[in-house]
Amino acid sequence: VQLQASGGGLVQPGGSLRLSCAASGTIISINAMGWYRQGPGKQRELVATITSTYNTNYAESVKGRFTISRDNAKSTVYLQMSSLKPEDTAVYYCNADEMYYCSGDKCYEDTVRHATDMWGQGTLVTVSS
């Protein structure tokens, strides 16, 4: 099981991008999912999170500009980013805080697995003219 992030790229200030992060494998359930970012010379910081019941939380710096959403049937979390600024330039990482999945293609009682604090590989977003 892994998280695969995509959608990063180069965009001009004021532009938009949509990031996606999908969990591969036979997923039973995922608790909260979120996006974090790490800019040049900075520590990783929270961008937004969303619970399994769709409660959301945003960093103050992105409120009103970014929207996090998820599709539980696809085990995917999205981040719609608008009105992008140069200071949004960073590698964006997706996270799943808790996940239940099956070790094979089908689920049996003895193939259920539990994982915590899973991270995707990161996708680079560059905001520049």
Side-chain angles (χ1 to χ4, degrees):
V1 172
Q2 62 181 357
L3 297 177
Q4 184 71 36
S6 61
L10 174 64
V11 63
Q12 292 186 341
S16 299
L17 274 178
R18 188 193 196 208
L19 306 182
S20 300
C21 176
S24 63
T26 308
I27 307 300
I28 299 173
S29 65
I30 304 175
N31 192 13
M33 301 184 78
W35 290 95
Y36 295 72
R37 67 186 181 186
Q38 187 167 14
K42 298 181 180 179
Q43 291 187 332
R44 189 174 297 189
E45 62 177 1
L46 169 74
V47 176
T49 60
I50 184 168
T51 69
S52 58
T53 54
Y54 305 102
N55 292 313
T56 59
N57 179 56
Y58 295 92
E60 285 295 327
S61 60
V62 306
K63 279 184 179 179
R65 300 188 298 121
F66 291 10
T67 301
I68 190 170
S69 61
R70 65 189 287 171
D71 184 334
N72 288 334
K74 295 181 179 180
S75 301
T76 300
V77 63
Y78 305 96
L79 185 68
Q80 178 67 49
M81 305 184 293
S82 303
S83 302
L84 282 161
K85 305 174 181 179
E87 51 263 44
D88 294 317
T89 294
V91 177
Y92 285 71
Y93 298 90
C94 58
N95 173 270
D97 75 337
E98 184 177 33
M99 181 187 302
Y100 287 91
Y101 64 97
C102 298
S103 59
D105 293 338
K106 296 183 179 180
C107 288
Y108 303 95
E109 186 174 349
D110 61 350
T111 66
V112 175
R113 301 290 183 263
H114 179 238
T116 59
D117 199 27
M118 297 185 67
W119 291 89
Q121 86 285 7
T123 184
L124 176 62
V125 173
T126 303
V127 185
S128 175
S129 54

